[in-house]
Amino acid sequence: MDHRPHVVVIGGGFGGLAAAKRLGRAPVRVTVVDKRNYHLFQPLLYQVATAALTPADIAYPIRAALSKYENTRVLLAEVTSIDTATRTVELEGGTLHYDYLIVATGATHSYFGKDQWESLAPGLKSIEDATEIRRRILVAYEAAEREVDPQLQREWLTFVVVGGGPTGVELAGALGEIGLHTLKRDFRSIDPTEVRVVLFEGRDRVLNTYPEKLSDAAKVALEKRHVDVRLDTLVTGVDDRGVNVKGPSGTDRVAARTVLWAAGVAASPLAKSLNVPLDRSGRVIVEPDLSIPGHPEVFLIGDLAKMTSEGQEVPGVAQGALQSGKYVANIIATEVPLRFDGKRGAVPKRKPFHYHDKGNMATIGRAEAVIATKHFAKHGLLAWLLWWVVHIFFLVGFRNRIYMIFHWAWSWLTYRRGSRLITGRVADLPAVRSIAPDGSVILPRAAQTVEIMEEPPAAPSPHA
Amino acid sequence: MDHRPHVVVIGGGFGGLAAAKRLGRAPVRVTVVDKRNYHLFQPLLYQVATAALTPADIAYPIRAALSKYENTRVLLAEVTSIDTATRTVELEGGTLHYDYLIVATGATHSYFGKDQWESLAPGLKSIEDATEIRRRILVAYEAAEREVDPQLQREWLTFVVVGGGPTGVELAGALGEIGLHTLKRDFRSIDPTEVRVVLFEGRDRVLNTYPEKLSDAAKVALEKRHVDVRLDTLVTGVDDRGVNVKGPSGTDRVAARTVLWAAGVAASPLAKSLNVPLDRSGRVIVEPDLSIPGHPEVFLIGDLAKMTSEGQEVPGVAQGALQSGKYVANIIATEVPLRFDGKRGAVPKRKPFHYHDKGNMATIGRAEAVIATKHFAKHGLLAWLLWWVVHIFFLVGFRNRIYMIFHWAWSWLTYRRGSRLITGRVADLPAVRSIAPDGSVILPRAAQTVEIMEEPPAAPSPHA
């Protein structure tokens, strides 16, 4: 049987997929394990949550992405633990033996120990998260349409976003535009200008990894979209009617039926089973070559790892994952012939990982984005167009690119959002009891008889 | 307040939407009630189930479809009952008073009293049905990829479709093509020619509403796609390992892990609350004007109603729903001014509903469809192109059309299916215990130690 060394890659995200593709041409056997059957283009997940894109637009089957690499197989399975002593990976229902291991299982949100908040304020990491958030946003509008009590209607039309990083800013901007443009004509009892988005950020500016001038530009752009940006403000409580916060002007309460979480990072729990030093957010502190102490055959890449490059911490972005994936794959491809083939030789010392910062970008909304690189910082239409091109370019899969071009062109022209599907459970909506602006008679079940006496049958049936 | 007569439309499918649009220009108030917030293009639902399309491609928000009609409002609500005496509709959490009522809640599948089969063999009526079927199909391939026992692998690669009507034929054809083309390169342990689709039809031909020559053509086209068509065969039992059937050659058992249901029709339960005569499948037997006996202000349209046109039963297809919707809307638009406005007058006698049969079409697969009209019966590439044009044309919403054109062009060129997402639960897969063709060492948890002794650590670590 095939005795080529076996490389196991856990996780089919940016890091894992980049590593697997590089290894597809190396003299190894590769097994990619993921609990999902698709690679997710996470930077656009917020567009699914805000009904602009549909899940299939940003997800691509891992099998399809790797099908041309004969030496690669894909397993749909959840990894339960890793045993570096026996060089085995425990799966739901099986075990994998590896010669090299690449762990790229990414990160999730942190509720800073308040895990009970998760169901009240969902985060945005998976397709399921995105469709759940989409469901809550759309149901909130349906509920507001029915609600006649102005105070309660305002609660339904208030959307809270916790966290002023890229995800939070992008969510808040999109939520503002949904209120201002997308749903304007579709509802009868909602005044779009009533829609309110409140963005809470603990630090003194949004997008704090960006230059200050871009943080300010982003804040202005958000406020144009009816987003109320509250800086230096910490969320101290979350319940199903709103949030309690503590800010410069003391404590405050914001009543809102929809609260979204875009703060904090926690590494995927798998890291713990490695018995290696973790940082505060559970990320593994890796060696300069991204391996773990004492196990040069085990690499951790992407958001899961606390990677440094020339003393600088590598940010938890797609670029960091991509570059670290290629880096470790190159190490393996270089070492394998020297270690396992006939012509064994001295294995060269590994060069430490070097992160090349290509810059960061975030989009706030229609014709408004921010871009920061070493060389320049831009915002506005130009930045937005650049954002657009870059994201089209990096999307996995031909179809998705074609789609995205048409999709965005279409949305841009029509202000519409194409994926406004409420799937799954519909939350309890307010009782139908409004006399709508259009005058349709809608009676509460309780008050039915009463109201019917007040309201005579509109006309005798001509057939009576 | 507004005293225009109030028309309540229950259901935002083809019938309800057609009626609402026609009434959008009439001197009435319209309220459309649906438990979904979207209109579903059901004829293409099988393409979502087979991962060719994604839900948003065939679903369009009812609000958006009707937003331009100022006199129309949309309610996301489930109707629990109808009281024709008080002219009220009971909703989850409210009541609507109506002057005219149009009920268009459609039909669902019938398991002929064997409702316990539903979870084992899901039908295809809703988005949730489609994504569940998609999940089962994709998980079956994942399971087959892992399975080493040839018999068990065959079970995972066998797909049973019950019912040889349009839906059944379209599902079976698509399943055959998925096996033959789509997934060919993506799996390592699956021989696509092993994929088997079995279609069971109780009558002596598939597509029995079509001319016989088309039924034969469809059968041939299906067999080309590795579909085993079993006619005159009834399903007598369904369990999680396959189906029992009774056919010309006696009883038989087909072992399959995926069974899909495309047989039988049952009207939506709402019909019962009307206390009117129902036919065997629960459809309401309506008057020639599609109203119910004694209540000319209550209309039933679409699949929910047993409609006749010149003595002929109207088939349960989109055209029947569309035409009946327009027909009753026209009656209302004609009568309202005479009944409710100042200038009251004699209400003209209603002309009975006339169904104009524009023909039927079904697609079996790539470049293969059948079309039957009064004037001609065609199959093959031409029919397929015609099918394509017609479906593009009828799709609700500009975006969906653009999408579909690109989508299908893309799929046609690449044989790929764009929406192969397994969302939600991943079924229990077989234990990972195969020595894959590529030789990767995959040990069962139980046999782990044993195997490890057989398999020496691939090589000494150069760093040890």
Side-chain angles (χ1 to χ4, degrees), chain B residues 215-270:
Chain B
S215 298
D216 302 340
K219 186 164 179 293
V220 172
L222 285 168
E223 281 158 355
K224 268 209 211 97
R225 290 163 173 76
H226 287 204
V227 179
D228 175 1
V229 181
R230 306 268 193 95
L231 302 172
D232 297 310
T233 307
L234 294 170
V235 171
T236 56
V238 181
D239 56 64
D240 58 1
R241 295 294 294 274
V243 295
N244 298 322
V245 297
K246 197 163 161 311
S249 51
T251 65
D252 188 11
R253 162 92 183 166
V254 173
R257 296 299 187 106
T258 312
V259 181
L260 308 179
W261 196 264
V265 182
S268 79
L270 192 62

Coordinates of all heavy atoms in Angstrom, one line a residue, chain B residues 215-270:
Chain B
S215 N -44.5 9.4 -22.1 CA -44.1 8.6 -20.9 C -43.0 7.6 -21.3 O -42.1 7.4 -20.5 CB -45.4 7.8 -20.5 OG -46.4 8.7 -20.1
D216 N -43.1 7.0 -22.5 CA -42.1 6.1 -22.9 C -40.8 6.8 -23.1 O -39.7 6.3 -22.6 CB -42.5 5.4 -24.3 CG -43.9 4.7 -24.1 OD1 -44.2 4.4 -23.0 OD2 -44.5 4.5 -25.1
A217 N -40.8 8.0 -23.7 CA -39.6 8.7 -23.9 C -38.9 9.1 -22.6 O -37.7 8.9 -22.4 CB -39.9 10.0 -24.7
A218 N -39.8 9.5 -21.6 CA -39.3 9.8 -20.3 C -38.6 8.6 -19.6 O -37.5 8.6 -19.1 CB -40.4 10.3 -19.4
K219 N -39.2 7.4 -19.8 CA -38.7 6.2 -19.2 C -37.3 5.9 -19.8 O -36.3 5.6 -19.1 CB -39.6 5.0 -19.5 CG -39.2 3.7 -18.8 CD -40.4 2.7 -18.8 CE -40.1 1.4 -18.2 NZ -39.1 0.6 -18.9
V220 N -37.2 6.0 -21.1 CA -35.9 5.8 -21.8 C -34.9 6.8 -21.3 O -33.7 6.4 -20.9 CB -36.0 5.9 -23.3 CG1 -34.7 5.8 -24.0 CG2 -37.0 4.8 -23.8
A221 N -35.3 8.0 -21.2 CA -34.3 9.1 -20.7 C -33.9 8.8 -19.3 O -32.7 9.0 -19.0 CB -35.0 10.4 -20.8
L222 N -34.8 8.3 -18.5 CA -34.4 8.0 -17.1 C -33.5 6.9 -17.0 O -32.5 6.9 -16.3 CB -35.7 7.7 -16.3 CG -36.6 8.9 -15.9 CD1 -37.9 8.4 -15.4 CD2 -35.9 9.8 -14.9
E223 N -33.7 5.8 -17.8 CA -32.9 4.7 -17.8 C -31.4 5.0 -18.3 O -30.5 4.5 -17.7 CB -33.5 3.5 -18.6 CG -34.6 2.8 -17.8 CD -35.6 2.1 -18.7 OE1 -35.5 2.2 -19.9 OE2 -36.5 1.4 -18.1
K224 N -31.4 6.0 -19.2 CA -30.0 6.5 -19.6 C -29.3 7.0 -18.4 O -28.1 7.1 -18.4 CB -30.2 7.6 -20.7 CG -30.2 7.1 -22.1 CD -29.7 8.2 -23.0 CE -30.3 8.2 -24.4 NZ -31.4 9.1 -24.6
R225 N -30.0 7.5 -17.5 CA -29.4 8.2 -16.3 C -29.3 7.2 -15.1 O -29.4 7.6 -13.9 CB -30.2 9.4 -16.0 CG -30.0 10.5 -17.0 CD -31.1 11.6 -16.9 NE -30.8 12.7 -17.9 CZ -31.0 12.6 -19.2 NH1 -31.4 11.5 -19.7 NH2 -30.6 13.6 -20.0
H226 N -29.3 5.9 -15.4 CA -29.1 4.9 -14.4 C -30.3 4.9 -13.4 O -30.2 4.5 -12.3 CB -27.9 5.1 -13.6 CG -26.6 4.7 -14.3 ND1 -25.5 4.3 -13.7 CD2 -26.4 4.6 -15.6 CE1 -24.5 4.1 -14.6 NE2 -25.1 4.3 -15.8
V227 N -31.5 5.3 -13.9 CA -32.7 5.2 -13.1 C -33.4 3.9 -13.5 O -33.7 3.7 -14.6 CB -33.6 6.4 -13.3 CG1 -34.9 6.3 -12.5 CG2 -32.9 7.7 -13.0
D228 N -33.7 3.1 -12.5 CA -34.4 1.8 -12.7 C -35.9 2.1 -12.4 O -36.3 2.3 -11.3 CB -33.8 0.8 -11.6 CG -34.6 -0.5 -11.7 OD1 -35.5 -0.6 -12.5 OD2 -34.3 -1.4 -10.8
V229 N -36.6 2.1 -13.5 CA -38.1 2.5 -13.5 C -38.9 1.3 -13.3 O -38.9 0.4 -14.1 CB -38.5 3.3 -14.7 CG1 -40.0 3.7 -14.6 CG2 -37.6 4.5 -14.9
R230 N -39.6 1.2 -12.1 CA -40.5 0.0 -11.8 C -41.9 0.4 -11.9 O -42.4 1.1 -11.0 CB -40.1 -0.5 -10.4 CG -38.7 -0.8 -10.2 CD -38.3 -2.3 -10.5 NE -37.0 -2.6 -10.0 CZ -36.8 -3.2 -8.8 NH1 -37.8 -3.4 -8.0 NH2 -35.6 -3.4 -8.4
L231 N -42.6 0.0 -12.9 CA -44.0 0.4 -13.1 C -44.9 -0.6 -12.4 O -44.5 -1.7 -12.0 CB -44.3 0.5 -14.6 CG -43.5 1.5 -15.4 CD1 -43.7 1.4 -16.8 CD2 -43.7 2.9 -14.8
D232 N -46.2 -0.3 -12.3 CA -47.2 -1.2 -11.7 C -46.8 -1.7 -10.4 O -47.1 -2.8 -10.0 CB -47.5 -2.4 -12.6 CG -48.1 -1.9 -14.0 OD1 -49.1 -1.2 -13.9 OD2 -47.6 -2.3 -15.0
T233 N -46.0 -0.9 -9.7 CA -45.4 -1.3 -8.4 C -45.9 -0.4 -7.3 O -45.7 0.8 -7.4 CB -43.9 -1.4 -8.5 OG1 -43.5 -2.1 -9.6 CG2 -43.3 -2.0 -7.3
L234 N -46.3 -1.0 -6.2 CA -46.8 -0.2 -5.0 C -45.8 -0.4 -3.9 O -45.3 -1.5 -3.6 CB -48.2 -0.7 -4.6 CG -49.3 -0.4 -5.6 CD1 -50.6 -1.1 -5.2 CD2 -49.5 1.1 -5.8
V235 N -45.6 0.6 -3.1 CA -44.7 0.5 -1.9 C -45.6 0.1 -0.8 O -46.6 0.7 -0.5 CB -44.1 1.9 -1.6 CG1 -43.4 1.9 -0.3 CG2 -43.1 2.3 -2.7
T236 N -45.2 -1.1 -0.2 CA -46.0 -1.6 0.9 C -45.4 -1.4 2.3 O -46.0 -1.5 3.3 CB -46.1 -3.1 0.7 OG1 -44.8 -3.7 0.6 CG2 -46.9 -3.4 -0.6
G237 N -44.1 -1.0 2.3 CA -43.4 -0.7 3.6 C -42.2 0.2 3.4 O -41.5 0.1 2.3
V238 N -42.0 1.1 4.4 CA -40.8 1.9 4.3 C -40.1 1.9 5.7 O -40.8 2.0 6.7 CB -41.2 3.4 4.0 CG1 -39.9 4.3 4.0 CG2 -41.9 3.5 2.7
D239 N -38.8 1.6 5.7 CA -38.1 1.7 7.0 C -36.7 2.4 6.7 O -36.5 2.8 5.6 CB -37.9 0.3 7.6 CG -37.2 -0.6 6.6 OD1 -36.0 -0.3 6.2 OD2 -37.8 -1.6 6.1
D240 N -35.9 2.5 7.7 CA -34.7 3.3 7.5 C -33.6 2.6 6.7 O -32.5 3.1 6.5 CB -34.1 3.8 8.9 CG -33.8 2.7 9.8 OD1 -34.0 1.5 9.4 OD2 -33.4 2.9 10.9
R241 N -33.9 1.4 6.3 CA -32.9 0.6 5.5 C -33.4 0.3 4.1 O -32.7 -0.3 3.3 CB -32.5 -0.7 6.1 CG -31.8 -0.5 7.5 CD -30.5 0.1 7.3 NE -29.5 -0.7 6.6 CZ -28.7 -1.7 7.2 NH1 -28.9 -1.9 8.5 NH2 -27.9 -2.4 6.4
G242 N -34.7 0.8 3.8 CA -35.2 0.5 2.4 C -36.7 0.5 2.3 O -37.4 0.9 3.3
V243 N -37.2 -0.1 1.2 CA -38.6 -0.2 1.0 C -39.0 -1.6 0.6 O -38.2 -2.3 0.0 CB -39.1 0.8 -0.1 CG1 -38.9 2.2 0.4 CG2 -38.4 0.5 -1.4
N244 N -40.2 -2.0 1.0 CA -40.8 -3.2 0.5 C -41.8 -2.8 -0.6 O -42.6 -1.8 -0.4 CB -41.5 -4.0 1.6 CG -40.5 -4.4 2.7 OD1 -39.4 -4.8 2.3 ND2 -40.9 -4.3 3.9
V245 N -41.8 -3.5 -1.7 CA -42.8 -3.2 -2.8 C -43.5 -4.5 -3.3 O -43.0 -5.6 -3.0 CB -42.0 -2.5 -4.0 CG1 -41.4 -1.2 -3.5 CG2 -41.0 -3.5 -4.5
K246 N -44.6 -4.2 -3.9 CA -45.4 -5.3 -4.5 C -45.6 -4.9 -6.0 O -46.1 -3.9 -6.3 CB -46.7 -5.4 -3.8 CG -47.5 -6.7 -4.1 CD -48.6 -6.9 -3.0 CE -49.6 -7.9 -3.5 NZ -50.0 -7.6 -4.9
G247 N -45.0 -5.8 -6.9 CA -45.1 -5.5 -8.3 C -45.6 -6.6 -9.1 O -46.0 -7.6 -8.6
P248 N -45.5 -6.5 -10.4 CA -46.0 -7.6 -11.3 C -45.3 -8.9 -11.0 O -46.0 -9.9 -11.0 CB -45.5 -7.1 -12.7 CG -45.3 -5.6 -12.6 CD -44.9 -5.4 -11.2
S249 N -44.1 -8.8 -10.6 CA -43.3 -10.1 -10.3 C -43.4 -10.4 -8.8 O -42.4 -10.8 -8.3 CB -41.9 -9.9 -10.8 OG -41.3 -8.7 -10.3
G250 N -44.4 -10.0 -8.2 CA -44.6 -10.3 -6.8 C -44.0 -9.3 -5.9 O -43.7 -8.2 -6.3
T251 N -43.7 -9.7 -4.6 CA -43.2 -8.7 -3.7 C -41.6 -8.7 -3.8 O -41.0 -9.6 -4.2 CB -43.5 -9.1 -2.2 OG1 -42.9 -10.3 -1.9 CG2 -45.0 -9.2 -2.0
D252 N -41.1 -7.5 -3.4 CA -39.6 -7.3 -3.5 C -39.2 -6.4 -2.4 O -40.0 -5.7 -1.8 CB -39.3 -6.8 -4.9 CG -37.8 -6.7 -5.2 OD1 -37.1 -7.3 -4.4 OD2 -37.4 -6.1 -6.1
R253 N -37.9 -6.4 -2.2 CA -37.3 -5.5 -1.2 C -36.1 -4.7 -1.8 O -35.3 -5.4 -2.5 CB -36.8 -6.3 0.0 CG -35.8 -5.6 0.9 CD -36.5 -4.9 2.0 NE -35.5 -4.2 2.9 CZ -35.9 -3.3 3.8 NH1 -37.2 -3.0 3.9 NH2 -35.0 -2.6 4.5
V254 N -36.1 -3.4 -1.7 CA -35.0 -2.6 -2.2 C -34.3 -2.0 -1.0 O -34.9 -1.2 -0.3 CB -35.4 -1.6 -3.2 CG1 -34.2 -0.7 -3.6 CG2 -36.0 -2.3 -4.5
A255 N -33.0 -2.3 -0.8 CA -32.3 -1.8 0.3 C -31.7 -0.4 -0.1 O -31.0 -0.3 -1.1 CB -31.1 -2.7 0.7
A256 N -32.1 0.6 0.6 CA -31.7 2.0 0.3 C -31.7 2.9 1.6 O -32.6 2.7 2.4 CB -32.6 2.6 -0.8
R257 N -30.7 3.8 1.7 CA -30.7 4.6 2.9 C -31.5 5.9 2.6 O -31.7 6.7 3.6 CB -29.3 4.9 3.3 CG -28.5 3.7 3.7 CD -29.1 3.0 4.9 NE -28.2 2.0 5.4 CZ -27.4 2.1 6.5 NH1 -27.5 3.1 7.2 NH2 -26.7 1.1 6.8
T258 N -31.7 6.2 1.4 CA -32.4 7.5 1.0 C -33.7 7.2 0.2 O -33.6 6.6 -0.8 CB -31.5 8.4 0.2 OG1 -30.2 8.5 0.8 CG2 -32.1 9.8 0.1
V259 N -34.8 7.5 0.8 CA -36.1 7.3 0.2 C -36.8 8.6 0.1 O -37.0 9.3 1.1 CB -37.0 6.2 0.9 CG1 -38.3 6.0 0.2 CG2 -36.2 4.9 1.1
L260 N -37.3 9.0 -1.1 CA -37.9 10.3 -1.3 C -39.4 10.0 -1.7 O -39.6 9.1 -2.5 CB -37.2 11.1 -2.3 CG -35.7 11.3 -2.0 CD1 -35.0 12.2 -3.0 CD2 -35.5 11.9 -0.6
W261 N -40.3 10.9 -1.3 CA -41.7 10.7 -1.5 C -42.2 11.7 -2.5 O -42.1 12.9 -2.2 CB -42.5 10.7 -0.2 CG -43.8 10.2 -0.3 CD1 -45.0 10.9 -0.5 CD2 -44.2 8.8 -0.2 NE1 -46.1 10.0 -0.5 CE2 -45.6 8.7 -0.3 CE3 -43.5 7.6 0.1 CZ2 -46.3 7.5 -0.2 CZ3 -44.2 6.4 0.2 CH2 -45.6 6.4 0.0
A262 N -42.8 11.3 -3.6 CA -43.4 12.2 -4.6 C -44.7 11.6 -5.1 O -45.0 11.8 -6.2 CB -42.4 12.4 -5.7
A263 N -45.5 11.0 -4.1 CA -46.7 10.4 -4.5 C -47.9 11.0 -3.7 O -47.6 11.5 -2.6 CB -46.7 8.9 -4.3
G264 N -49.0 10.9 -4.2 CA -50.2 11.3 -3.5 C -50.4 12.8 -3.3 O -49.4 13.5 -3.2
V265 N -51.6 13.3 -3.2 CA -51.9 14.7 -2.9 C -52.9 14.7 -1.8 O -53.9 14.0 -1.8 CB -52.4 15.4 -4.1 CG1 -52.7 16.8 -3.9 CG2 -51.5 15.2 -5.3
A266 N -52.7 15.6 -0.8 CA -53.7 15.9 0.2 C -53.9 17.4 0.3 O -52.9 18.1 0.4 CB -53.3 15.3 1.5
A267 N -55.1 17.9 0.3 CA -55.3 19.3 0.5 C -54.9 19.8 1.9 O -54.9 19.0 2.8 CB -56.8 19.6 0.2
S268 N -54.6 21.1 2.0 CA -54.2 21.6 3.3 C -55.3 21.5 4.3 O -56.5 21.7 3.9 CB -53.7 23.0 3.2 OG -54.8 23.9 3.1
P269 N -55.1 21.1 5.5 CA -56.2 20.8 6.5 C -57.2 22.0 6.7 O -58.3 21.7 7.0 CB -55.4 20.6 7.8 CG -54.0 21.1 7.6 CD -53.8 21.1 6.1
L270 N -56.8 23.2 6.3 CA -57.7 24.3 6.5 C -59.1 24.1 5.9 O -60.1 24.5 6.4 CB -57.1 25.6 5.9 CG -57.7 26.9 6.3 CD1 -57.7 27.1 7.8 CD2 -57.1 28.0 5.5

